[in-house]
Amino acid sequence: MKKLTYLMIGLLVMMTTTVRAQNSTKMEAENATYVQCKLIQDSRYSGGKALELTETSAKITFHYKAEKKGKYTVYVGYDGLYGDKVVVLTVNGSSGTFVTKGKGESAVGTYFMNQGDNTVVVTPSWTWFRIDYIRIEQSNSSLTFNISPKPIDTEAAECAQKLYTFLYNNFGKKTISGMMTGDMKSANGNITQHDDIKAVYQVSGKYPALVGFDFLFSTGSGKDESWAQDYTNDVMSLAKDVWQRGGIPNFTWHWRDPSRNTWEFYTDKCEVRITDAFNANGSWNTSSQLYKNIISDIDEVAGYFLELQEAGIACIFRPLHEASGGWFWWGRTGSAPFIKLYRLIFDEMVKVKGVHNVIWVWNAGDDDADWDPGLDYYDVISADIYNANYDYSSNYVMFDKLKTHTEGKKLIALAENGPIPDIDKEFDEEAVWSWWMPWYHTWDGNFVSQTSSAEWTKCMNDSRVITLEDLSAGWGASSAIRTPLSESHDSHILYDLQGHRLKHTPSKGLFIRDGKVFRGE
């Protein structure tokens, strides 16, 4: 009996090992195809070897054969030399990044893989690191969205509640088209005459539903210049026009140096630090001149939101964007001071100044968990992704990261982008962004041109993409605001209960068609 027991235990161990081997495949870097890499022999690494990448042209290519099509999580074993480095990992053309943290292993992200051959490529964003291996596991994630139907501001104005409800009801079902604005000389209060917005119309025949604006010249040492005031006044006039047409005003704030020593915002152009306004114990030094200037700037921007609020206009606001990149002064001193500043903006605007017409957005990057200001401080989590020209990837790797980070509790948006994501890819790859917004076309940005006219036309005329024309009923019509846009002409479209579009009628389970719930036969 004891021998039989040992035999059964042995078989169980073998079976468990076999299952684990089938679900997780480890591939050594030295066995991959590589260029501009140095082979390192060191017993600290798996297999006693690793590849060192010191050249920007370095590249490691793995070939993975998947048993079936689906989502797979890719892990990388690495050794970050001389500090943390950013590494790019691409699977079949879809890219994600991760940051080396000493020596260890990181889950880069979840990727779609084809049955059969797949190509996994590692390249440097920052050089000087070593790659030990990659490990691939079939993903078994069953995380579903569980988003609050109400905005985080418990005192949200009626207009903000309408806007949030619109975003909430359409999330996963439709993507809102957007466009950033730069130059303000062409519009004269009519958003359809603005050069950035006209550029989209000229290539697609439709206007974007969401329009981006910037408080670029609204604060700091030069804000009182007449041309700076004219710019901000034009922004406000256009934001009001967008709302009156049924669209969505969306604000960014390139915050000028609050020390008043410069009128810059890049770290290499100004010396200001958030911590300069701290006491020794890390609390705000409310008597310091920098703190007083910070509050003054926040109050200045709050005043513009209050002006919109008085007119019954809601908007989206993404403060302190791209902080973890370190190129803006608000990211210079790391995550902890950034969080204090983000929360100060929120608390000063909402709790002190009474701004209640804003939908709040936190702008995240890769491996930004330490920078999260807290789920109570934002309605939407977003990313900025600039693909190469004419690359219409859905960017589902980042979408999944943001969903995982927030445990499916927040709306997800592509706050800035170059080429627009292809709408078919968004649905096929389960990355339906709440909105996307290419950067401005004026000021020599030319971002509209990074997407072909054919792709613009295809996406802007797809029923799953919301344009300004779709919102012509305006914010006064509750039926156009509180429910997803009418799909009477697309009543055949099917969704699961999480709002994901289905290609076929399911054989079992519940699904939604034309706003009604059905059970598969």
Side-chain angles (χ1 to χ4, degrees), residues 73-292:
T73 302
V74 181
Y75 301 80
V76 177
Y78 59 80
D79 189 357
L81 305 174
Y82 315 116
D84 299 345
K85 302 298 169 61
V86 178
V87 184
V88 180
L89 187 139
T90 304
V91 177
N92 299 332
S94 294
S95 298
T97 62
F98 67 97
V99 178
T100 62
K101 301 285 187 183
K103 183 178 182 299
E105 179 185 270
S106 285
V108 181
T110 301
Y111 292 81
F112 278 98
M113 293 199 182
N114 303 314
Q115 183 177 14
D117 295 333
N118 296 271
T119 302
V120 181
V121 178
V122 176
T123 53
S125 179
W126 298 353
T127 54
W128 289 95
F129 58 88
R130 293 172 182 171
I131 298 297
D132 190 358
Y133 61 86
I134 66 169
R135 189 166 57 83
I136 300 174
E137 290 184 359
Q138 187 164 5
S139 175
N140 295 315
S141 175
S142 58
L143 178 63
T144 58
F145 282 106
N146 181 28
I147 301 169
S148 171
K150 296 183 179 180
I152 55 169
D153 183 356
T154 57
E155 299 180 58
E158 182 181 1
C159 57
Q161 294 181 44
K162 288 181 178 181
L163 175 53
Y164 183 82
T165 299
F166 177 79
L167 298 174
Y168 174 84
N169 284 339
N170 283 286
F171 184 61
K173 303 175 180 67
K174 292 178 181 286
T175 290
I176 300 166
S177 61
M179 184 66 204
M180 182 63 183
T181 59
D183 187 82
M184 285 291 151
K185 295 179 180 178
S186 61
N188 296 320
N190 183 340
I191 196 62
T192 65
Q193 297 303 309
H194 191 286
D195 284 342
D196 288 304
I197 306 307
K198 282 199 301 185
V200 174
Y201 182 81
Q202 288 166 355
V203 294
S204 70
K206 295 290 183 71
Y207 292 107
L210 176 145
V211 179
F213 301 105
D214 199 337
F215 289 121
L216 180 65
F217 303 118
S218 303
T219 61
S221 60
K223 73 179 180 67
D224 293 328
E225 296 285 341
S226 60
W227 63 267
Q229 292 181 344
D230 288 344
Y231 186 92
T232 301
N233 290 336
D234 288 341
V235 162
M236 294 296 290
S237 177
L238 286 171
K240 294 172 183 177
D241 186 59
V242 169
W243 181 266
Q244 294 303 322
R245 294 174 185 272
I248 304 171
N250 178 44
F251 285 93
T252 298
W253 182 15
H254 281 88
W255 189 350
R256 304 280 178 173
D257 181 357
S259 74
R260 309 290 192 260
N261 291 326
T262 70
W263 202 33
E264 304 287 348
F265 40 76
Y266 287 117
T267 53
D268 62 345
K269 300 290 186 180
C270 64
E271 300 296 328
V272 63
R273 296 171 175 269
I274 300 172
T275 51
D276 292 342
F278 285 0
N279 292 308
N281 64 1
S283 62
W284 288 108
N285 180 359
T286 56
S287 63
S288 69
Q289 188 58 52
L290 179 57
Y291 177 83
K292 293 176 182 178

Side-chain angles (χ1 to χ4, degrees), residues 444-462:
D444 296 323
N446 297 318
F447 282 96
V448 171
S449 299
Q450 293 187 7
T451 299
S452 70
S453 179
E455 185 69 18
W456 271 113
T457 301
K458 168 191 171 181
C459 291
M460 292 291 281
N461 289 275
D462 191 291

